Amino acid sequence: MRLPVYLLASACLAAPTTAPALDWAGLQPLAAVASVQRTAAGLDLICADGATVHVSVLAPDLIRVRALFAGQPASLDHSWAIARTDWAAPPWHFAETATELSLTTAAVKVVIQRDPLLIAFHDAVTGRVINADARPMARDPATGRLAAAKHFGFEEHFYGLGEKAARLDKRRGRFVMWNSDTPGYVEGRDPIYQSIPFYLGWEEGRAYGLFYDNTYRTTFDLGHTGQDYAAFGADGGELNYYFFAGPSLKQIVSRYTELTGRMPLPPLWALGHQQSRYSYYPDTVVEKVAEQYRARDLPLDVLYLDIHYMDAYRVFTWDRTRFPDPSGLMKRLAEKGLRVVTIVDPGVKYQPPVPGAIDPATDRDLASSHESYYVYNEGLAGDYFLRQKDGSLYIGEVWPGQSVFVDYTRADARQWWGEGHRALTERGVAGIWTDMNEPADFLDQTGERHKDIVFDDLGQRAPYAKHRNTFALLMARATYEGLEQLQPDRRPFVITRAGSAGIQRYAVKWTGDNNATFDSLALNIPMFASLGISGQAFVGADIPGFIGRGDGELLARAYQMATFVPFCRNHSAIDQYDKEPWRFGSYYEGIVRKYLKLRYRMLPFLYTTLEEAHRTGVPLFRPLLLNFQEDYNTVNLDDQFMIGDALLAAPVVRAGERAREVYFPAGRWYEFETGAIIRGGTTLRVDAPLDHMPLYVRGGSIVPSTIAMNYTDEKPWNPLRFDIYPDDAGTANGSLYEDDGHSPDYKHGAWRRTTLHFANGQLTLTPTGTHAPGVRNFAIVLHRAAAVQQVLVDGVALEASAWTRAADHSLTVALADNGRARQLEFR
């Protein structure tokens, strides 16, 4: 959600913003190394001016550098972003000469020049320079500003930085980290909602990563100012960064998410189609939307309630006029297979009680809050709200009017906030949508009005400048942990608009108040890809766009893309035309239905690939570069994408186009609908009529799928289909991951993984794990099987009637799942 309606028009027309140039004036560089001390984890460099630089080895490919400048105030070595701190330093070797020091692991050699103090990272095997300082790290003692500069390679390209309204390749860009409420953003608008100060550098097929763990307003200049450097600057805090040696992009993303945390598995229904509007009310309208979806045979799992379900926008309350029986509504929707997610904003209405008013002991969320508001009263009694330097409450303005905000850096405040969601969960609400959490304040979007706010920050009493960017992270943490406590047998589902590094531990991400335009649709691909390689695997955007009317063509193309995007939600602004799938007529509705049914058929593949993201950090939605790192043609390719390792999607993102160019990396590719083979290493122009999105399968893949359904737990995955697409060598691999889809038991081993390997005409299926999915059948489909004359299962030949051959030369074998390893032979 967004600014007040009367500001939307001007916000939509706002020109793209440009980050300020990095200012080196007043910055004093570190002095030369005067002495060095070895520690268990690495080296402490003592500078001539009294500064200290800690170089720590966390893993063979992960080095931490933390500079404490002369005169810099001491602070806790603590970060809200970091999930893992228990690193056991691997073996490393130290050497020194009169001019330099070196620290070498199996993967990287850190070379430190004594005077001036410059740090370079080399490949430990080849000696190749991976990344190196262009000038010494520096700080302004008067203001606390910091800066670091790295050499900028002639063929160096940059990726990541989380949510940016920008193209995939950030080379020559300049970007600011400062969470901002930016409705109607367009390409080039910066900053927007989220701040992730982590990027990946690529040059000549090899990659590295840099995570600057600093939550102040920061600037990245990635060759924008000139050819001299790629620089980082911050308004305050510490110069504290982590270097990821690579050289694999996947390895870097995996290591970064090991450091900052990986996405927990959401409930399976989170992969279902979701419908929202600002706002659906009263309850009868919500039920009419549900009835239309079921009557029209359109798959749907989730309905959303925006701010109008609350009593005058007071969080943790219900408007009894619009929603007289929320528990009954949840029950009736559940009978249709639908769950409800409600919005919760951070602004708590500032409402001192009327003298003599008393909060009721029970059902406080249903009682009138006009004279006394229990959430405000509790928060004030616990002193959970943010205060200013003079001790006064900070009072801003959002939807309830004058509002106060929780200090989520306090553990007791987070626990209180999490417990507050009982008002929703006990009524049957299934998930929480945290919005306006930059935090938005209608009185000031810049932060200038907030500069005197003080956060507890583990007793450090830190300024607002340090914690604006962490506010959403900690609010999401409070919400997630609260849901864990309230519903320990269910996986929490929290979505967020804003965030900072580590947000993937607590919430899935949607890209805020986008526009219903083809330009915005095109921007989705690089934005989702950048978020994915910045640690956030579960992402999506409002379909077909939050602001603006759009039309049927845009709706159809948006759903085609969204078929393979993790978060698939239709949403629209309060004053905009309705965008449910039937609103533009039956032709476009039919296209939406086709692709929603495809999404539900592909749930086994999507869930398996999502579990890979949970386990490894490598996202489901991927730029081609992530899978084809050495292919220069993918360096700035961001109008097509891959889903896992197996599927390549090339959506149409321009109005009126009925064909488009598609790049196919080297190898064998199969057209998804026809099975036709395409030779890779080329660009082809392919047909893309309005009811078709070009979609291809990479040779060497085995892709699981099932039957279509109206909601995710309507029926079991039976039969389970495995499509085998051999590569040029006649081999293929794949897997299927399963669990109960709703509980956290998967964390304790209650899952099943079926691995599949095809080579030399033989397919082996090997199940592992304790989860028992029940009685069911498999359908094994071998593509390009014209020469097969006989099929054996576990060494026994099948009757010809037990398998079928299609016109596209694919062969299908029906097979019962007996829970044991199976082997099929195709002769």
Side-chain angles (χ1 to χ4, degrees):
M1 212 157 34
R2 60 288 331 165
L3 291 171
V5 175
Y6 66 86
L7 293 179
L8 278 176
S10 61
C12 294
L13 298 175
T17 56
T18 302
L22 195 63
D23 183 9
W24 293 90
L27 295 175
Q28 296 182 8
L30 288 166
V33 177
S35 63
V36 59
Q37 297 175 359
R38 294 185 60 174
T39 69
L43 305 175
D44 286 349
L45 312 176
I46 313 303
C47 301
D49 59 0
T52 303
V53 178
H54 304 279
V55 181
S56 305
V57 180
L58 305 187
D61 58 341
L62 178 57
I63 307 295
R64 182 188 183 192
V65 176
R66 183 186 184 212
L68 300 176
F69 291 82
Q72 184 172 4
S75 62
L76 291 177
D77 185 10
H78 170 268
S79 168
W80 297 106
I82 301 301
R84 181 177 177 186
T85 58
D86 59 339
W87 301 86
W92 54 275
H93 173 72
F94 172 70
E96 62 180 320
T97 68
T99 60
E100 66 181 31
L101 314 164
S102 68
L103 181 159
T104 306
T105 73
V108 63
K109 181 178 182 180
V110 185
V111 178
I112 303 158
Q113 183 176 298
R114 293 179 185 266
D115 188 11
L117 199 168
L118 298 170
I119 301 176
F121 300 92
H122 299 243
D123 185 296
V125 177
T126 67
R128 172 183 175 271
V129 176
I130 305 170
N131 179 264
D133 288 348
R135 55 197 302 172
M137 294 177 280
R139 181 177 182 269
D140 184 338
T143 65
R145 290 190 307 115
L146 304 158
K150 302 291 185 177
H151 280 292
F152 177 49
F154 180 72
E155 276 292 352
E156 191 166 12
H157 300 260
F158 303 97
Y159 308 92
L161 294 182
E163 183 186 48
K164 291 296 174 186
R167 303 294 295 271
L168 175 69
D169 185 359
K170 305 300 189 293
R171 179 180 169 91
R172 301 297 186 185
R174 190 166 59 211
F175 304 95
V176 169
M177 301 293 156
W178 187 248
N179 291 1
S180 301
D181 182 6
T182 48
Y185 61 86
V186 295
E187 182 179 341
R189 180 70 183 268
D190 187 71
I192 55 174
Y193 300 107
Q194 192 195 71
S195 300
I196 309 292
F198 165 68
Y199 71 81
L200 302 94
W202 178 100
E203 189 168 17
E204 298 178 353
R206 300 174 62 87
Y208 69 89
L210 278 169
F211 169 46
Y212 288 92
D213 191 4
N214 184 303
T215 59
Y216 282 74
R217 185 196 300 264
T218 62
T219 300
F220 287 86
D221 183 332
L222 302 178
H224 180 84
T225 302
Q227 195 68 38
D228 299 331
Y229 55 71
F232 161 86
D235 286 354
E238 290 188 354
L239 223 171
N240 173 27
Y241 70 83
Y242 295 81
F243 176 79
F244 304 81
S248 160
L249 287 166
K250 289 182 179 178
Q251 178 185 352
I252 295 165
V253 173
S254 185
R255 187 68 88 182
Y256 169 76
T257 54
E258 184 180 7
L259 177 69
T260 62
R262 293 187 177 136
M263 171 198 73
L265 271 180
L268 176 62
W269 57 259
L271 277 173
H273 181 219
Q274 309 186 31
Q275 179 65 55
S276 183
R277 180 175 178 80
Y278 168 31
S279 286
Y280 287 132
Y281 66 88
D283 55 354
T284 54
V285 171
V286 178
E287 295 193 78
K288 285 178 181 177
V289 174
E291 290 166 2
Q292 284 293 308
Y293 263 99
R294 292 296 179 246
R296 293 174 179 273
D297 189 29
L298 290 163
L300 185 70
D301 267 83
V302 185
L303 282 166
Y304 280 72
L305 299 183
D306 211 317
I307 59 174
H308 292 93
Y309 80 90
M310 292 183 269
D311 177 11
Y313 311 132
R314 297 177 180 90
V315 294
F316 305 136
T317 69
W318 292 88
D319 184 319
R320 295 300 301 279
T321 302
R322 293 168 174 164
F323 294 89
D325 180 17
S327 298
L329 173 64
M330 304 305 153
K331 183 178 179 180
R332 293 190 297 274
L333 293 173
E335 290 170 352
K336 293 182 171 65
L338 294 168
R339 292 170 171 86
V340 171
V341 172
T342 52
I343 198 168
V344 176
D345 289 343
V348 175
K349 183 175 179 62
Y350 172 73
Q351 186 181 326
V354 172
I358 299 175
D359 294 324
T362 59
D363 291 337
R364 295 177 299 173
D365 56 316
L366 301 181
S368 172
S369 298
H370 290 261
E371 293 189 349
S372 182
Y373 177 29
Y374 79 98
V375 177
Y376 175 78
N377 297 337
E378 283 188 353
L380 191 66
D383 194 24
Y384 299 138
F385 300 132
L386 287 169
R387 294 183 178 272
Q388 304 188 90
K389 291 179 180 177
D390 62 5
S392 63
L393 282 176
Y394 175 76
I395 302 174
E397 185 174 319
V398 280
W399 299 113
Q402 287 191 318
S403 301
V404 291
F405 301 82
V406 175
D407 182 356
Y408 295 111
T409 67
R410 290 178 48 178
D412 57 349
R414 291 197 302 273
Q415 184 175 359
W416 169 74
W417 184 260
E419 169 64 24
H421 291 81
R422 185 182 299 275
L424 304 171
T425 59
E426 288 195 344
R427 307 297 174 195
V429 169
I432 301 299
W433 167 18
T434 60
D435 199 356
M436 305 291 286
N437 53 354
E438 290 72 36
D441 185 339
F442 297 158
L443 299 176
D444 177 20
Q445 291 298 310
T446 69
E448 181 64 23
R449 188 175 183 271
H450 312 125
K451 61 185 179 182
D452 288 336
I453 295 174
V454 177
F455 286 77
D456 178 77
D457 193 25
L458 304 181
Q460 297 181 94
R461 294 188 53 78
Y464 181 85
K466 181 181 179 182
H467 282 291
R468 179 183 177 110
N469 286 343
T470 67
F471 185 90
L473 168 74
L474 296 176
M475 180 186 178
R477 175 177 175 175
T479 304
Y480 186 93
E481 292 175 347
L483 294 179
E484 279 188 310
Q485 291 297 314
L486 293 169
Q487 300 175 316
D489 60 337
R490 301 184 192 180
R491 303 176 195 175
F493 180 67
V494 181
I495 73 171
T496 187
R497 187 169 75 178
S500 54
I503 186 65
Q504 66 273 5
R505 303 198 299 267
Y506 310 115
V508 306
K509 163 72 180 163
W510 105 101
T511 54
D513 298 342
N514 60 344
N515 297 309
T517 64
F518 272 94
D519 284 345
S520 183
L521 181 63
L523 192 58
N524 281 345
I525 299 177
M527 289 185 72
F528 297 163
S530 295
L531 284 162
I533 59 179
S534 301
Q536 296 168 87
F538 204 114
V539 297
D542 290 339
I543 306 168
F546 180 72
I547 298 171
R549 180 186 178 99
D551 58 19
E553 181 184 14
L554 177 65
L555 184 77
R557 293 305 195 190
Y559 266 103
Q560 288 169 358
M561 181 190 296
T563 300
F564 295 103
V565 175
F567 184 57
C568 178
R569 182 180 75 161
N570 183 307
H571 189 40
S572 184
I574 190 170
D575 56 349
Q576 304 296 319
Y577 189 77
D578 309 85
K579 298 187 180 78
E580 294 89 357
W582 58 85
R583 296 296 187 177
F584 296 99
S586 59
Y587 175 63
Y588 303 106
E589 179 187 347
I591 297 172
V592 173
R593 182 182 297 107
K594 169 186 172 180
Y595 278 90
L596 285 178
K597 287 184 176 292
L598 174 60
R599 180 182 180 89
Y600 279 70
R601 280 172 40 212
M602 300 302 293
L603 279 173
F605 171 72
L606 293 172
Y607 195 55
T608 297
T609 312
L610 193 67
E611 189 275 336
E612 179 186 355
H614 154 71
R615 181 168 35 87
T616 70
V618 180
L620 182 155
F621 189 105
R622 304 178 185 177
L624 270 67
L625 181 69
L626 195 60
N627 285 340
F628 300 96
Q629 182 172 324
E630 296 183 357
D631 186 344
Y632 190 82
N633 293 309
T634 67
V635 165
N636 58 19
L637 183 62
D638 59 10
D639 66 348
Q640 55 191 78
F641 62 93
M642 290 198 70
I643 309 97
D645 285 323
L647 297 186
L648 187 157
V652 171
V653 293
R654 297 286 179 264
E657 287 192 353
R658 299 297 182 264
R660 61 154 294 168
E661 283 74 35
V662 179
Y663 176 67
F664 298 91
R668 178 190 288 191
W669 297 87
Y670 294 78
E671 206 280 328
F672 182 80
E673 291 188 1
T674 67
I677 291 179
I678 299 167
R679 305 304 313 171
T682 188
T683 298
L684 298 177
R685 185 166 180 81
V686 303
D687 291 335
L690 186 53
D691 65 348
H692 175 72
M693 177 181 70
L695 182 65
Y696 306 90
V697 187
R698 184 180 183 181
S701 304
I702 300 177
V703 180
S705 62
T706 188
I707 56 177
M709 54 193 72
N710 287 312
Y711 51 96
T712 51
D713 51 5
E714 180 185 25
K715 57 189 75 171
W717 294 347
N718 186 27
L720 259 168
R721 173 172 168 145
F722 296 99
D723 283 83
I724 306 169
Y725 298 92
D727 59 16
D728 289 335
T731 66
N733 293 280
S735 67
L736 169 71
Y737 173 84
E738 300 170 276
D739 57 32
D740 65 23
H742 62 82
S743 81
D745 292 348
Y746 73 94
K747 297 179 180 179
H748 310 293
W751 48 263
R752 170 170 160 170
R753 191 185 317 279
T754 303
T755 57
L756 300 96
H757 175 68
F758 179 78
N760 301 317
Q762 291 188 348
L763 174 71
T764 57
L765 296 87
T766 308
T768 56
T770 62
H771 175 67
V775 177
R776 63 186 179 184
N777 294 313
F778 292 154
I780 310 297
V781 183
L782 177 61
H783 291 261
R784 315 305 294 179
V788 174
Q789 300 299 317
Q790 187 180 36
V791 180
L792 288 75
V793 176
D794 297 332
V796 179
L798 293 180
E799 297 290 336
S801 60
W803 49 279
T804 59
R805 195 188 306 274
D808 65 356
H809 304 298
S810 64
L811 185 151
T812 302
V813 178
L815 180 69
D817 176 16
N818 62 10
R820 298 191 297 271
R822 310 299 296 272
Q823 184 175 79
L824 282 75
E825 185 175 357
F826 300 87
R827 294 180 178 177

